[in-house]
Amino acid sequence: MNSQELFARSQQVSPGGVHSPVRAFKSVGGTPIFFSSAEGAYLTSVEGKKYIDFCQSFGPNILGHRDPDVQKSVLEILDKAWSFGACEPYSLELAEWMKEQVPFLDKLRFVSSGTEAVMSALRVARAATGRDKILKFDGCYHGHVDSLLVKAGSGLAGEASSDSAGVSEQTAHQTLVTALDDEEAYLKTLNDHKDQIAAVILEPLPANFGLLAQRKEFIDFVVNEAKQRGILVIFDEVISGFRMAFGGMAELLDIKPDLVTYGKVIGGGFPVGCYGGREDLMNLVAPAGRVYQAGTLSANPVGMVAGLTTLKKMKEVQGHKFLKERTERMTSRLNEIFQAHQVPMQVSSQGSLFWIHPKSDKPIRRVDQIPTQHGENFKKFFSECLNEGVYLAPSGYEVGFLSLAHTDEIIDSALEKFSNAAKKVFG
Ligand SMILES: *Cc1c(COP(=O)(O)O)cnc(C)c1O
């Protein structure tokens, strides 16, 4: 069966034919490709066509698909156990290893997704402060937690309204939304809701609505003003944690958030999330404290060993340094290609993340700075990349991911394909 036939069948059994919305290709058009296998930097479709993969499952595969060392550790654990629902040493090893890398990570709890990690961290923040409201930034994504599926409202300063059907206005009103890169708006929101805000949550490197790299002064300001008011600071490092550096953006920015959330790379391609931080806060979590949080498959041994093997290997080979260098080389070459073919887009990178965005003289730091015609240009480029055999995340607002499996040779080959695609569409 080909992708088209499989998608038709999928639409009969799943909403929109998918199990997570972006996979449906709605913003890039056409039928989503069905993949049957993956290895290193490559995906293979059910039709047998090979693609260089810059999506890498939206980040978890920092070593590439089915890294041989990770595969070995997974095969070994499969011979021992699949799930205990009881105490085991595997999560302890990963927890201790992570704690060693991150100076403010006093205690942590494993869960099964980034969403679950965020949801639990918010609960801890509310319990610790006795306050109800959470402040988030427009352009940051924190998973599909009800109270964070909100957009900036038009009423009171900062007050949010729901951005998804099924989220009650009451729940949405517990969240305040303010703009990135805007100290004044942030201060106004803080002052308008004195003594009501439990926590401010942010992606210290917003990477789920394009790549909206922030000024360090802005992040410092956000953190300092919150701390002065007894508001907890939650860094959502589900995408940046252990990817930008072992200590994530917190390390690069030299900031100690009160709580932090992780996911994606820490599971090495398996479903693992994590929240943690200050000891006094984490001791509020059951059974140590009064904040209930549990999970049948939490700290699943397969994810634990895959995660630990992934992180240890990154350390051993100094992966972050290589990834950053390779990504920078690729993006600067791609920018030359775009220029040569008069493509109205450019590419920016942070560490191993890159984003193809509309041409801009100034850095894009906020959602309202992304020109709206981007979708159309990206759509054409995306389709031609597919023809050439390069798979990008199927939306102009998603970032691209390099993995250690993207060797210089593979990147050169991808650049040639990008160049062909650019010439065809814009040349
Ligand atoms: C991916 C992501 C999430 C959600 O994680 P899931 O595992 O998809 O639930 C939350 N926050 C950030 C910053 C993310 O990148």
Side-chain angles (χ1 to χ4, degrees), residues 94-105:
L94 178 58
E96 284 180 346
W97 200 90
M98 286 169 63
K99 184 174 147 88
E100 223 166 87
Q101 311 299 315
V102 186
F104 59 85
L105 196 57

Side-chain angles (χ1 to χ4, degrees), residues 9-49:
R9 268 171 62 192
S10 295
Q11 285 171 301
Q12 301 304 311
V13 291
S14 299
V18 292
H19 298 279
S20 195
V22 182
R23 298 179 195 175
F25 276 34
K26 264 188 115 166
S27 73
V28 289
T31 305
I33 297 166
F34 279 62
F35 298 104
S36 50
S37 65
E39 184 178 14
Y42 293 98
L43 291 170
T44 303
S45 71
V46 292
E47 290 85 7
K49 180 168 170 170

Side-chain angles (χ1 to χ4, degrees), residues 20 58 60 112-118 140-145 201-208 235-240 261-264 271-273 401:
S20 195
F58 290 95
S112 300
S113 72
T115 297
E116 219 185 319
V118 168
C140 287
Y141 175 70
H142 304 292
H144 62 94
V145 180
I201 184 166
L202 69 152
E203 284 183 85
L205 174 62
N208 282 283
F235 270 14
D236 181 354
E237 299 235 41
V238 170
I239 207 166
S240 55
T261 54
Y262 298 117
K264 300 200 168 106
V272 178
F401 301 85

Side-chain angles (χ1 to χ4, degrees), residues 69-97:
D69 294 316
V70 178
Q71 179 153 357
K72 187 163 163 276
S73 68
V74 168
L75 291 175
E76 277 169 17
I77 196 79
L78 287 180
D79 271 340
K80 293 181 186 152
W82 295 6
S83 180
F84 294 102
C87 293
E88 34 63 46
Y90 310 106
S91 57
L92 173 63
E93 273 183 55
L94 178 58
E96 284 180 346
W97 200 90

Side-chain angles (χ1 to χ4, degrees), residues 253-265:
L253 293 163
D254 193 23
I255 291 174
K256 291 184 169 59
D258 300 296
L259 291 168
V260 64
T261 54
Y262 298 117
K264 300 200 168 106
V265 303

Side-chain angles (χ1 to χ4, degrees), residues 121-142:
L122 298 186
R123 193 177 300 141
V124 171
R126 290 194 169 106
T129 57
R131 301 172 181 174
D132 280 344
K133 289 199 191 298
I134 302 291
L135 173 56
K136 78 163 286 238
F137 291 89
D138 187 24
C140 287
Y141 175 70
H142 304 292

